[in-house]
Coordinates of all heavy atoms in Angstrom, one line a residue:
M147 N 23.1 18.7 20.7 CA 22.9 19.9 19.9 C 24.1 20.2 19.0 O 23.9 20.7 17.9 CB 22.7 21.1 20.9 CG 21.5 21.1 21.7 SD 20.1 21.4 20.6 CE 18.8 20.8 21.7
G148 N 25.3 19.8 19.4 CA 26.5 20.1 18.6 C 26.5 19.5 17.3 O 26.9 20.2 16.3
E149 N 25.9 18.3 17.2 CA 25.9 17.6 15.8 C 25.0 18.4 14.9 O 25.3 18.5 13.7 CB 25.4 16.2 15.9 CG 26.3 15.3 16.8 CD 25.9 15.3 18.3 OE1 24.8 15.7 18.6 OE2 26.8 15.0 19.1
N150 N 23.9 18.9 15.4 CA 23.0 19.7 14.5 C 23.7 21.0 14.0 O 23.5 21.3 12.9 CB 21.7 20.1 15.3 CG 20.9 18.9 15.6 OD1 20.9 17.8 14.9 ND2 20.1 18.9 16.7
Q151 N 24.4 21.7 14.9 CA 25.1 22.9 14.5 C 26.2 22.6 13.5 O 26.5 23.4 12.6 CB 25.6 23.6 15.7 CG 24.5 24.3 16.5 CD 25.0 24.9 17.8 OE1 24.9 24.2 18.8 NE2 25.5 26.1 17.7
Q152 N 26.8 21.4 13.7 CA 27.9 21.0 12.7 C 27.2 20.8 11.3 O 27.8 21.2 10.3 CB 28.6 19.8 13.2 CG 29.4 20.0 14.4 CD 29.9 18.7 15.0 OE1 29.9 17.6 14.3 NE2 30.3 18.7 16.2
A153 N 26.1 20.1 11.3 CA 25.4 19.9 10.0 C 24.9 21.2 9.4 O 25.1 21.3 8.2 CB 24.2 19.0 10.3
V154 N 24.5 22.1 10.2 CA 24.0 23.4 9.6 C 25.2 24.2 9.1 O 25.2 24.8 8.0 CB 23.3 24.3 10.7 CG1 23.0 25.7 10.2 CG2 21.9 23.6 11.0
R155 N 26.4 24.1 9.8 CA 27.6 24.7 9.3 C 28.0 24.1 7.9 O 28.4 24.8 7.0 CB 28.7 24.6 10.3 CG 30.0 25.4 9.9 CD 31.2 24.9 10.6 NE 32.4 25.7 10.3 CZ 33.0 25.6 9.1 NH1 32.6 24.8 8.2 NH2 34.1 26.4 8.9
Q156 N 27.9 22.8 7.8 CA 28.3 22.2 6.6 C 27.3 22.6 5.5 O 27.7 22.8 4.3 CB 28.2 20.6 6.7 CG 29.4 20.1 7.6 CD 29.2 18.6 7.9 OE1 28.1 18.0 7.7 NE2 30.3 18.0 8.3
F157 N 26.0 22.8 5.8 CA 25.1 23.3 4.8 C 25.5 24.7 4.4 O 25.4 25.0 3.2 CB 23.7 23.3 5.4 CG 22.7 24.1 4.7 CD1 22.1 23.5 3.5 CD2 22.3 25.3 5.0 CE1 21.2 24.2 2.8 CE2 21.4 26.1 4.3 CZ 20.8 25.5 3.2
G158 N 25.8 25.5 5.3 CA 26.2 26.9 5.0 C 27.4 27.0 4.1 O 27.5 27.7 3.1
E159 N 28.4 26.1 4.4 CA 29.6 26.1 3.6 C 29.3 25.6 2.2 O 29.8 26.1 1.2 CB 30.7 25.3 4.2 CG 32.0 25.3 3.5 CD 33.2 24.7 4.3 OE1 33.0 24.3 5.4 OE2 34.3 24.7 3.7
H160 N 28.5 24.6 2.1 CA 28.1 24.0 0.8 C 27.4 25.1 0.0 O 27.6 25.2 -1.2 CB 27.2 22.8 1.0 CG 26.8 22.0 -0.2 ND1 27.7 21.2 -0.9 CD2 25.7 22.0 -0.9 CE1 27.1 20.7 -1.9 NE2 25.9 21.1 -1.9
L161 N 26.5 25.8 0.6 CA 25.7 26.9 -0.1 C 26.7 27.9 -0.6 O 26.6 28.4 -1.7 CB 24.7 27.4 0.9 CG 23.5 28.1 0.3 CD1 22.7 27.1 -0.5 CD2 22.6 28.7 1.4
A162 N 27.7 28.3 0.3 CA 28.6 29.3 -0.1 C 29.4 28.9 -1.3 O 29.7 29.6 -2.2 CB 29.6 29.6 1.1
R163 N 29.8 27.6 -1.3 CA 30.6 27.1 -2.5 C 29.8 27.1 -3.8 O 30.3 27.5 -4.8 CB 31.1 25.6 -2.2 CG 32.1 25.6 -1.1 CD 32.8 24.2 -1.0 NE 33.7 24.2 0.1 CZ 34.9 24.7 0.1 NH1 35.3 25.4 -1.0 NH2 35.7 24.7 1.2
H164 N 28.5 26.8 -3.7 CA 27.6 26.9 -4.9 C 27.4 28.4 -5.3 O 27.4 28.6 -6.5 CB 26.3 26.3 -4.6 CG 26.3 24.8 -4.7 ND1 26.3 24.1 -5.9 CD2 26.3 23.8 -3.8 CE1 26.3 22.8 -5.8 NE2 26.3 22.6 -4.5
A165 N 27.3 29.3 -4.4 CA 27.2 30.7 -4.7 C 28.4 31.2 -5.4 O 28.3 31.9 -6.4 CB 26.8 31.5 -3.5
V166 N 29.6 30.8 -4.9 CA 30.8 31.3 -5.5 C 31.0 30.6 -6.9 O 31.4 31.3 -7.8 CB 32.0 30.9 -4.6 CG1 33.4 31.0 -5.3 CG2 32.0 31.7 -3.3
A167 N 30.6 29.4 -7.1 CA 30.6 28.7 -8.4 C 29.8 29.5 -9.4 O 30.1 29.6 -10.6 CB 30.2 27.3 -8.2
R168 N 28.6 30.0 -8.9 CA 27.8 30.8 -9.8 C 28.5 32.0 -10.4 O 28.1 32.6 -11.4 CB 26.5 31.3 -9.1 CG 25.5 30.2 -8.9 CD 24.3 30.8 -8.2 NE 23.2 29.9 -8.1 CZ 22.0 30.1 -7.5 NH1 21.8 31.3 -7.0 NH2 21.1 29.2 -7.4
L169 N 29.5 32.5 -9.6 CA 30.3 33.7 -10.1 C 31.3 33.3 -11.1 O 32.1 34.1 -11.6 CB 31.0 34.4 -8.9 CG 30.1 35.0 -7.8 CD1 30.9 35.5 -6.6 CD2 29.3 36.2 -8.4
G170 N 31.5 32.0 -11.3 CA 32.5 31.5 -12.2 C 33.8 31.3 -11.5 O 34.9 31.2 -12.2
I171 N 33.9 31.2 -10.2 CA 35.1 31.0 -9.5 C 35.1 29.6 -8.9 O 34.1 29.1 -8.4 CB 35.2 32.0 -8.3 CG1 35.2 33.5 -8.9 CG2 36.4 31.8 -7.5 CD1 35.0 34.5 -7.8
D172 N 36.3 29.0 -9.0 CA 36.4 27.6 -8.5 C 36.3 27.6 -7.0 O 37.2 28.1 -6.3 CB 37.8 27.0 -8.9 CG 38.0 25.6 -8.5 OD1 37.0 25.0 -7.9 OD2 39.1 25.1 -8.6
P173 N 35.2 27.0 -6.5 CA 35.0 27.1 -5.0 C 35.9 26.1 -4.2 O 35.9 26.1 -3.0 CB 33.5 26.7 -4.9 CG 33.3 25.9 -6.0 CD 34.1 26.4 -7.2
T174 N 36.6 25.2 -4.9 CA 37.4 24.2 -4.2 C 38.8 24.6 -4.2 O 39.6 23.8 -3.7 CB 37.2 22.8 -4.9 OG1 37.7 23.0 -6.3 CG2 35.8 22.4 -4.9
A175 N 39.2 25.7 -4.6 CA 40.6 26.1 -4.7 C 41.2 26.5 -3.3 O 41.6 27.6 -3.1 CB 40.8 27.2 -5.7
G176 N 41.1 25.6 -2.4 CA 41.7 25.9 -1.0 C 41.0 26.9 -0.2 O 41.5 27.5 0.6
Q177 N 39.7 27.1 -0.6 CA 38.9 28.2 0.1 C 38.3 27.7 1.4 O 37.5 26.7 1.4 CB 37.8 28.7 -0.8 CG 38.3 29.3 -2.1 CD 39.0 30.7 -1.9 OE1 38.9 31.3 -0.9 NE2 39.6 31.2 -2.9
E178 N 38.6 28.3 2.5 CA 38.0 28.1 3.7 C 36.7 28.8 3.7 O 36.5 29.8 3.0 CB 38.9 28.6 4.9 CG 40.2 27.8 5.0 CD 41.0 28.4 6.1 OE1 40.6 29.4 6.8 OE2 42.1 27.9 6.3
F179 N 35.8 28.4 4.6 CA 34.4 29.0 4.7 C 34.5 30.5 4.9 O 33.9 31.3 4.2 CB 33.7 28.3 5.8 CG 32.2 28.6 5.9 CD1 31.5 29.2 4.8 CD2 31.4 28.2 7.0 CE1 30.2 29.4 4.9 CE2 30.1 28.4 7.0 CZ 29.4 29.1 6.0
S180 N 35.4 31.0 5.8 CA 35.5 32.4 6.1 C 36.0 33.1 4.8 O 35.6 34.3 4.5 CB 36.5 32.7 7.2 OG 37.8 32.2 6.9
R181 N 36.9 32.5 4.0 CA 37.3 33.1 2.8 C 36.2 33.2 1.7 O 36.2 34.1 1.0 CB 38.6 32.4 2.3 CG 39.8 32.6 3.1 CD 41.0 32.0 2.5 NE 42.2 32.3 3.3 CZ 43.3 31.7 3.1 NH1 43.5 30.9 2.1 NH2 44.3 32.0 3.9
L182 N 35.4 32.2 1.7 CA 34.3 32.2 0.8 C 33.3 33.3 1.1 O 32.8 34.0 0.2 CB 33.5 30.8 0.8 CG 34.3 29.6 0.3 CD1 33.5 28.3 0.6 CD2 34.5 29.7 -1.2
I183 N 33.1 33.5 2.4 CA 32.2 34.6 2.8 C 32.8 36.0 2.4 O 32.2 36.8 1.9 CB 32.0 34.6 4.3 CG1 31.2 33.3 4.7 CG2 31.2 35.8 4.8 CD1 31.1 33.0 6.2
S184 N 34.1 36.1 2.7 CA 34.8 37.4 2.3 C 34.8 37.6 0.8 O 34.5 38.7 0.3 CB 36.3 37.3 2.7 OG 36.4 37.3 4.1
L185 N 35.0 36.5 0.0 CA 34.9 36.6 -1.4 C 33.5 37.1 -1.9 O 33.4 37.9 -2.8 CB 35.3 35.3 -2.1 CG 35.2 35.2 -3.6 CD1 36.2 36.1 -4.2 CD2 35.5 33.7 -4.0
M186 N 32.5 36.5 -1.4 CA 31.1 36.8 -1.8 C 30.8 38.3 -1.4 O 30.2 39.0 -2.1 CB 30.1 35.9 -1.1 CG 30.1 34.5 -1.7 SD 28.8 33.5 -1.0 CE 29.2 33.3 0.7
R187 N 31.4 38.7 -0.3 CA 31.2 40.1 0.2 C 31.9 41.1 -0.8 O 31.3 42.1 -1.3 CB 31.7 40.3 1.6 CG 31.4 41.7 2.1 CD 32.0 41.9 3.5 NE 33.4 41.9 3.5 CZ 34.2 41.1 4.1 NH1 33.7 40.1 4.8 NH2 35.5 41.1 4.0
R188 N 33.2 40.7 -1.2 CA 33.9 41.6 -2.1 C 33.2 41.6 -3.5 O 33.3 42.7 -4.2 CB 35.3 41.0 -2.3 CG 36.3 41.5 -1.3 CD 37.7 41.2 -1.7 NE 38.0 39.9 -2.2 CZ 38.3 38.8 -1.5 NH1 38.3 38.9 -0.2 NH2 38.5 37.6 -2.1
E189 N 32.6 40.6 -3.9 CA 31.9 40.5 -5.2 C 30.5 41.1 -5.1 O 29.8 41.0 -6.1 CB 31.9 39.1 -5.7 CG 33.2 38.5 -6.0 CD 33.9 39.2 -7.2 OE1 33.2 39.6 -8.1 OE2 35.1 39.3 -7.1
R190 N 30.2 41.6 -3.9 CA 28.9 42.3 -3.7 C 27.7 41.3 -3.9 O 26.6 41.7 -4.4 CB 28.7 43.5 -4.5 CG 29.8 44.6 -4.3 CD 29.5 45.8 -5.0 NE 30.6 46.7 -5.0 CZ 30.8 47.6 -4.0 NH1 30.0 47.7 -3.0 NH2 31.9 48.4 -4.0
L191 N 27.9 40.1 -3.6 CA 26.9 39.1 -3.6 C 26.0 39.0 -2.4 O 24.9 38.6 -2.4 CB 27.5 37.7 -3.9 CG 26.7 36.5 -4.2 CD1 25.9 36.8 -5.5 CD2 27.5 35.2 -4.3
L192 N 26.6 39.6 -1.3 CA 25.9 39.5 0.0 C 25.5 40.9 0.5 O 26.2 41.8 0.4 CB 26.8 38.9 1.1 CG 27.4 37.6 0.8 CD1 28.3 37.2 2.0 CD2 26.3 36.5 0.6
D193 N 24.2 41.0 1.0 CA 23.8 42.1 1.7 C 24.2 41.9 3.2 O 24.7 40.8 3.5 CB 22.3 42.4 1.6 CG 21.4 41.3 2.1 OD1 21.9 40.5 3.0 OD2 20.3 41.2 1.6
A194 N 24.1 42.9 4.0 CA 24.6 42.8 5.4 C 23.9 41.6 6.2 O 24.5 40.9 6.9 CB 24.3 44.1 6.2
D195 N 22.6 41.5 6.0 CA 21.8 40.4 6.7 C 22.3 39.0 6.3 O 22.5 38.1 7.1 CB 20.3 40.6 6.5 CG 19.5 39.6 7.3 OD1 19.8 39.5 8.6 OD2 18.6 39.0 6.8
T196 N 22.5 38.9 5.0 CA 22.9 37.6 4.4 C 24.3 37.2 4.9 O 24.6 36.1 5.3 CB 22.9 37.5 2.9 OG1 21.5 37.9 2.5 CG2 23.2 36.2 2.4
Q197 N 25.2 38.2 4.9 CA 26.5 38.0 5.5 C 26.5 37.6 6.9 O 27.2 36.7 7.4 CB 27.4 39.2 5.3 CG 28.8 39.0 5.8 CD 29.7 40.3 5.7 OE1 29.4 41.2 5.0 NE2 30.8 40.3 6.4
L198 N 25.6 38.3 7.7 CA 25.5 37.9 9.1 C 25.0 36.5 9.3 O 25.5 35.8 10.2 CB 24.6 38.9 9.8 CG 24.5 38.9 11.3 CD1 25.8 39.1 11.9 CD2 23.4 39.9 11.8
C199 N 24.1 36.1 8.5 CA 23.6 34.7 8.6 C 24.8 33.7 8.3 O 24.9 32.7 9.1 CB 22.5 34.4 7.6 SG 20.9 35.2 8.0
F200 N 25.6 33.9 7.3 CA 26.7 33.1 7.0 C 27.7 33.1 8.2 O 28.2 32.0 8.6 CB 27.5 33.5 5.8 CG 26.9 32.9 4.5 CD1 26.4 33.7 3.5 CD2 27.0 31.5 4.2 CE1 25.9 33.2 2.3 CE2 26.5 31.0 3.1 CZ 26.0 31.8 2.1
E201 N 27.9 34.3 8.8 CA 28.9 34.4 9.9 C 28.3 33.7 11.1 O 29.1 33.0 11.9 CB 29.2 35.8 10.2 CG 30.0 36.5 9.2 CD 31.4 36.0 9.0 OE1 31.9 35.2 9.9 OE2 32.1 36.4 8.1
H202 N 27.0 33.8 11.4 CA 26.4 33.1 12.5 C 26.6 31.6 12.4 O 27.0 30.9 13.3 CB 25.0 33.4 12.7 CG 24.6 34.7 13.4 ND1 25.3 35.1 14.6 CD2 23.8 35.6 13.1 CE1 24.8 36.2 15.0 NE2 23.9 36.6 14.1
I203 N 26.3 31.1 11.2 CA 26.4 29.6 11.0 C 27.9 29.2 11.1 O 28.1 28.2 11.8 CB 25.9 29.3 9.6 CG1 24.3 29.3 9.6 CG2 26.3 27.9 9.1 CD1 23.7 29.1 8.3
R204 N 28.8 30.0 10.6 CA 30.2 29.6 10.7 C 30.7 29.6 12.1 O 31.3 28.6 12.6 CB 31.0 30.6 9.8 CG 32.5 30.2 9.7 CD 33.3 31.2 9.0 NE 33.4 32.5 9.6 CZ 34.2 32.8 10.7 NH1 35.0 31.8 11.1 NH2 34.2 34.0 11.2
T205 N 30.5 30.7 12.8 CA 31.0 30.8 14.2 C 30.4 29.8 15.2 O 31.0 29.2 16.0 CB 30.9 32.2 14.7 OG1 29.6 32.7 14.7 CG2 31.8 33.2 13.9
L206 N 29.0 29.7 15.1 CA 28.4 28.7 16.0 C 28.7 27.3 15.6 O 28.9 26.5 16.5 CB 26.8 28.9 15.9 CG 26.3 30.3 16.5 CD1 24.8 30.4 16.2 CD2 26.6 30.4 18.0
G207 N 28.9 27.0 14.4 CA 29.3 25.7 14.0 C 30.7 25.3 14.4 O 31.0 24.2 14.8
N208 N 31.6 26.3 14.3 CA 33.0 26.1 14.7 C 33.0 25.9 16.2 O 33.7 25.0 16.7 CB 33.8 27.3 14.4 CG 34.2 27.4 12.9 OD1 34.0 26.4 12.2 ND2 34.8 28.5 12.5
A209 N 32.2 26.7 17.0 CA 32.2 26.5 18.4 C 31.7 25.1 18.8 O 32.3 24.4 19.7 CB 31.4 27.6 19.1
A210 N 30.7 24.6 18.1 CA 30.2 23.3 18.4 C 31.2 22.2 18.0 O 31.3 21.2 18.8 CB 28.8 23.1 17.6
T211 N 31.8 22.4 16.9 CA 32.8 21.4 16.4 C 34.1 21.3 17.3 O 34.5 20.3 17.7 CB 33.1 21.6 15.0 OG1 31.9 21.6 14.2 CG2 34.1 20.6 14.4
H212 N 34.7 22.5 17.5 CA 36.0 22.6 18.1 C 36.0 22.7 19.6 O 37.0 22.3 20.2 CB 36.8 23.7 17.4 CG 37.0 23.5 15.9 ND1 37.6 22.5 15.4 CD2 36.5 24.3 14.9 CE1 37.5 22.6 14.0 NE2 36.9 23.7 13.7
E213 N 35.0 23.3 20.1 CA 34.9 23.6 21.6 C 33.9 22.8 22.3 O 33.8 22.8 23.5 CB 34.7 25.1 21.8 CG 35.8 25.9 21.2 CD 35.5 27.4 21.1 OE1 34.6 27.8 22.0 OE2 36.0 28.1 20.3
G214 N 33.0 22.1 21.5 CA 31.9 21.3 22.1 C 30.9 22.1 22.9 O 30.3 21.6 23.8
V215 N 30.7 23.4 22.5 CA 29.7 24.2 23.1 C 28.6 24.5 22.2 O 28.6 24.3 21.0 CB 30.4 25.6 23.6 CG1 31.4 25.4 24.6 CG2 30.9 26.4 22.4
G216 N 27.5 24.9 22.8 CA 26.3 25.3 22.0 C 25.1 24.6 22.6 O 25.1 23.5 23.0
G217 N 24.0 25.4 22.8 CA 22.8 24.9 23.4 C 21.6 25.1 22.4 O 21.8 25.3 21.2
R218 N 20.5 25.1 23.0 CA 19.2 25.2 22.2 C 19.1 26.5 21.5 O 18.7 26.6 20.4 CB 18.0 25.0 23.1 CG 17.8 23.6 23.5 CD 16.6 23.4 24.4 NE 16.5 22.0 24.8 CZ 15.3 21.4 24.9 NH1 14.2 22.1 24.7 NH2 15.3 20.1 25.2
H219 N 19.5 27.6 22.2 CA 19.4 28.9 21.6 C 20.4 29.0 20.4 O 19.9 29.5 19.3 CB 19.8 30.0 22.6 CG 19.8 31.4 22.0 ND1 18.7 32.1 21.7 CD2 20.8 32.2 21.7 CE1 19.0 33.2 21.1 NE2 20.3 33.3 21.1
D220 N 21.6 28.5 20.5 CA 22.5 28.6 19.4 C 22.0 27.7 18.2 O 22.1 28.1 17.1 CB 23.9 28.1 19.8 CG 24.6 29.0 20.8 OD1 24.2 30.2 20.8 OD2 25.5 28.6 21.4
A221 N 21.4 26.6 18.6 CA 20.9 25.7 17.5 C 19.7 26.4 16.8 O 19.6 26.3 15.5 CB 20.4 24.4 18.1
L222 N 18.9 27.1 17.5 CA 17.8 27.8 16.9 C 18.3 28.9 16.0 O 17.8 29.1 14.9 CB 16.8 28.3 18.0 CG 15.6 29.1 17.5 CD1 14.7 28.2 16.6 CD2 14.8 29.6 18.6
V223 N 19.3 29.7 16.5 CA 19.8 30.8 15.7 C 20.4 30.2 14.4 O 20.2 30.8 13.3 CB 20.9 31.5 16.5 CG1 21.7 32.5 15.6 CG2 20.3 32.3 17.7
S224 N 21.1 29.1 14.5 CA 21.7 28.4 13.3 C 20.6 28.0 12.3 O 20.8 28.2 11.1 CB 22.5 27.2 13.7 OG 23.6 27.6 14.5
L225 N 19.5 27.4 12.8 CA 18.5 27.0 11.9 C 17.8 28.1 11.3 O 17.5 28.1 10.1 CB 17.5 26.1 12.7 CG 17.9 24.7 13.0 CD1 16.9 24.0 13.9 CD2 18.2 23.9 11.8
I226 N 17.5 29.2 12.0 CA 16.9 30.4 11.4 C 17.8 31.0 10.3 O 17.3 31.3 9.2 CB 16.5 31.4 12.5 CG1 15.4 30.9 13.4 CG2 16.2 32.8 11.9 CD1 15.1 31.7 14.6
A227 N 19.1 31.1 10.6 CA 20.0 31.6 9.6 C 20.1 30.7 8.4 O 20.1 31.2 7.3 CB 21.4 31.8 10.3
A228 N 20.1 29.4 8.6 CA 20.1 28.5 7.5 C 18.8 28.6 6.6 O 18.9 28.6 5.4 CB 20.2 27.0 8.0
H229 N 17.7 28.8 7.2 CA 16.5 29.0 6.5 C 16.5 30.3 5.7 O 16.1 30.3 4.5 CB 15.3 29.1 7.5 CG 14.0 29.2 6.8 ND1 13.3 30.4 6.7 CD2 13.2 28.3 6.2 CE1 12.2 30.3 6.0 NE2 12.1 29.0 5.7
K230 N 17.0 31.4 6.3 CA 17.2 32.6 5.5 C 18.1 32.5 4.3 O 17.9 33.0 3.3 CB 17.7 33.7 6.4 CG 16.7 34.2 7.4 CD 17.2 35.3 8.3 CE 16.2 35.8 9.3 NZ 16.8 36.9 10.2
L231 N 19.2 31.7 4.5 CA 20.2 31.5 3.5 C 19.6 30.7 2.3 O 19.9 31.0 1.2 CB 21.5 30.9 4.0 CG 22.3 31.8 4.9 CD1 23.5 31.0 5.4 CD2 22.8 33.0 4.1
A232 N 18.8 29.7 2.7 CA 18.2 28.9 1.7 C 17.2 29.7 0.8 O 17.2 29.6 -0.4 CB 17.4 27.7 2.3
N233 N 16.5 30.6 1.5 CA 15.6 31.5 0.7 C 16.4 32.5 -0.1 O 16.0 32.8 -1.3 CB 14.7 32.3 1.7 CG 13.6 31.5 2.3 OD1 13.1 30.5 1.7 ND2 13.2 31.8 3.5
W234 N 17.5 33.0 0.4 CA 18.4 33.9 -0.4 C 18.9 33.2 -1.6 O 18.9 33.7 -2.7 CB 19.5 34.4 0.5 CG 20.7 35.0 -0.2 CD1 20.8 36.3 -0.7 CD2 21.9 34.4 -0.6 NE1 22.0 36.5 -1.3 CE2 22.7 35.3 -1.3 CE3 22.4 33.1 -0.4 CZ2 24.0 35.0 -1.7 CZ3 23.7 32.8 -0.8 CH2 24.5 33.8 -1.5
F235 N 19.4 32.0 -1.4 CA 20.0 31.2 -2.5 C 19.0 30.9 -3.6 O 19.3 31.0 -4.8 CB 20.7 29.9 -2.0 CG 21.5 29.2 -3.0 CD1 22.7 29.6 -3.3 CD2 20.9 28.1 -3.7 CE1 23.5 28.9 -4.3 CE2 21.7 27.4 -4.6 CZ 23.0 27.8 -4.9
H236 N 17.8 30.5 -3.2 CA 16.8 30.1 -4.2 C 15.9 31.2 -4.6 O 15.0 31.0 -5.5 CB 16.0 28.9 -3.7 CG 16.8 27.7 -3.6 ND1 17.3 27.0 -4.7 CD2 17.3 27.0 -2.5 CE1 18.0 25.9 -4.3 NE2 18.0 25.9 -3.0
G237 N 16.1 32.4 -4.1 CA 15.2 33.5 -4.3 C 15.5 34.3 -5.5 O 15.9 34.3 -6.5

């Protein structure tokens, strides 16, 4: 399960970088995923639900990567959040 959550986390970070780039900000300037989320929030790009989706993906992905934890429920939450973010990004 951990590998899947890591992949979803990478997807979320990639999506955040593209969203920040749409604002005309260099997304590669040493920005960590959490900072990208904060930046998008400050720029009013995120509503509360979208921000929560990014945070779920980030925290669950970090737990899977660094602590080796995460089960089916966490994987499902990550996938649902990723689906919502994909709709948000392309919507």
Side-chain angles (χ1 to χ4, degrees):
M147 292 294 162
E149 298 88 22
N150 294 333
Q151 287 172 265
Q152 292 169 17
V154 171
R155 187 198 183 284
Q156 290 172 341
F157 167 77
E159 186 168 357
H160 186 73
L161 205 61
R163 290 189 186 285
H164 278 282
V166 168
R168 283 183 175 177
L169 295 172
I171 300 169
D172 181 8
T174 61
Q177 299 286 350
E178 296 175 358
F179 193 10
S180 60
R181 289 186 180 170
L182 292 170
I183 295 168
S184 295
L185 176 62
M186 289 187 292
R187 187 183 66 243
R188 276 195 315 273
E189 295 294 326
R190 301 184 190 273
L191 188 61
L192 303 179
D193 60 28
D195 187 48
T196 305
Q197 179 181 344
L198 188 59
C199 287
F200 274 114
E201 291 292 351
H202 278 316
I203 286 175
R204 185 184 66 79
T205 57
L206 294 173
N208 285 350
T211 300
H212 302 297
E213 300 165 25
V215 298
R218 288 180 180 215
H219 176 73
D220 291 341
L222 181 59
V223 168
S224 294
L225 285 174
I226 290 169
H229 183 261
K230 289 179 179 179
L231 289 178
N233 286 331
W234 164 80
F235 187 79
H236 292 291

